[in-house]
Amino acid sequence: MSRRRFDQAMQLMRDEDPRVREGAFDFLREHADAYVDELIEEFAAERDDQGLRCWLLELVAEARSAEALEVLGGQLESPDESLRFWAVRGLEMLDSRAADRLLEQARDGGWIS
């Protein structure tokens, strides 16, 4: 997949038209595994649009990549319930020892149930 297509999809995810945003999200969901590094980068850079941050973390989770372990684990203590949800879901989808360990630590710490 090309970086140009990713950049176009990200631009469309910021469009005012909800249908355009959803179409771009659907495209990225279908190709999340190919764009996991870019999605992680966008998530880290996004500070203003909390809804977009949530969508980006959902896409990172959908990538089901071990590369996402750190960013997903980092959101287990987020004050934002939506981000915590997608962090948990993403770690569950990874289904690895490292992901299970992070989930167990978050449960023991009271961050998730």
Side-chain angles (χ1 to χ4, degrees):
M1 293 286 152
S2 75
R3 177 65 192 220
R4 188 172 141 258
R5 291 190 73 186
F6 176 81
D7 291 339
Q8 288 173 332
M10 283 305 305
Q11 183 177 6
L12 293 173
M13 281 185 64
R14 291 179 170 92
D15 195 275
E16 291 182 18
D17 185 336
R19 289 177 295 182
V20 171
R21 286 194 308 264
E22 288 177 24
F25 175 81
D26 289 340
F27 167 78
L28 287 173
R29 184 175 41 209
E30 291 176 27
H31 304 288
D33 59 332
Y35 291 122
V36 67
D37 292 330
E38 292 88 344
L39 291 166
I40 290 170
E41 183 180 310
E42 287 289 331
F43 177 78
E46 182 59 51
R47 295 285 172 231
D48 299 328
D49 187 335
Q50 198 62 14
L52 181 57
R53 278 180 58 80
C54 187
W55 263 9
L56 288 166
L57 194 62
E58 181 178 350
L59 291 169
V60 168
E62 288 290 333
R64 298 175 188 204
S65 170
E67 296 173 46
L69 187 68
E70 186 177 332
V71 70
L72 294 170
Q75 294 306 306
L76 290 173
E77 296 181 19
S78 173
D80 185 305
E81 185 177 341
S82 297
L83 293 177
R84 279 195 320 273
F85 172 84
W86 283 109
V88 169
R89 184 73 183 115
L91 290 168
E92 289 172 344
M93 288 190 292
L94 280 178
D95 193 29
S96 69
R97 284 186 190 165
D100 290 345
R101 204 171 313 117
L102 287 173
L103 289 167
E104 184 178 326
Q105 290 170 350
R107 285 186 186 98
D108 290 347
W111 285 100
I112 62 172
S113 53

